[in-house]
Amino acid sequence: ALGRSIAGCPAVGDSARDLAAARAAGARPILVRTGNGSATAAGLTEPVETYADLAAVADALLGESAGSPGIRT
């Protein structure tokens, strides 16, 4: 709507619907195990970037922006 693409932008969620929406938009799907995330992870049929919680995602993304790889938990 704003004429901008979100291709490759992180899209964090805890449900299969969240991940599907991220993929459909061309975003980078990231699953957190909080909320419904653990149940979602158990039912996944393809790999997805997964972190323990939102703080872990933030740490990883900040690490990427500083030039170092993120840490997965």
Side-chain angles (χ1 to χ4, degrees), residues 9-70:
C9 291
V12 181
D14 69 346
S15 71
R17 180 181 290 178
D18 295 338
L19 300 174
R23 287 187 184 102
R28 172 181 165 188
I30 299 175
L31 178 68
V32 289
R33 292 188 179 274
T34 53
N36 296 318
S38 290
T40 300
L44 291 177
T45 58
E46 58 187 73
V48 66
E49 190 172 352
T50 303
Y51 295 90
D53 53 32
L54 192 54
V57 173
D59 287 344
L61 295 175
L62 289 171
E64 288 175 11
S65 68
S68 64

